[in-house]
Amino acid sequence: LQMHEDRLAEEIVREREEEIRNINKGMHTVNEIYKDLAHIVGEQQDDIDAVEDHMEDANKNAQAGLNQVQKANDKADSACIVC
C-alpha cells in the first residue's frame, strides 16, 4: 500500500512538473508576442509621426496659399477704379 502511494505521489509530482514546464513555455510565447507587438507599434509610430509632419506642412502651405489669394484679391479690389 505504501509503495502504491509513493508511486502515486511521484506521478503527481511528474504531472505538476510537466504542467509547470507547459506554463513556462506559454509564458515565453506570450512574452515573444508582446515583444513583436512592441516592435510593430514602434514601426507604425514612425509612420504616424511622418504623416503628422506632412499634415502640418500641408496646413502651413494651405494657409500661406490662402494669404496669397487674399492679398491678390485686395490688390485687385484696389486696382479696380471703375468697380
Side-chain angles (χ1 to χ4, degrees):
L1 181 62
Q2 182 64 29
M3 287 182 64
H4 183 324
E5 289 177 359
D6 288 345
R7 274 189 260 138
L8 183 60
E10 286 178 20
E11 184 62 31
I12 290 171
V13 168
R14 279 191 213 108
E15 287 177 7
R16 287 184 181 169
E17 287 175 351
E18 182 64 26
E19 289 172 3
I20 290 170
R21 279 192 288 275
N22 288 337
I23 290 170
N24 190 17
K25 287 178 187 176
M27 290 174 62
H28 179 71
T29 300
V30 169
N31 186 31
E32 290 299 315
I33 290 169
Y34 274 108
K35 286 179 183 179
D36 291 344
L37 285 174
H39 178 72
I40 291 169
V41 168
E43 287 180 348
Q44 289 177 345
Q45 187 61 48
D46 292 341
D47 294 338
I48 290 170
D49 291 343
V51 168
E52 184 179 10
D53 291 343
H54 291 147
M55 288 177 59
E56 289 173 1
D57 291 343
N59 184 30
K60 289 175 186 175
N61 291 335
Q63 188 63 43
L66 179 60
N67 290 340
Q68 292 295 322
V69 169
Q70 289 173 339
K71 286 180 185 178
N73 189 36
D74 292 343
K75 287 184 181 182
D77 287 344
S78 65
C80 184
I81 299 171
V82 182
C83 301

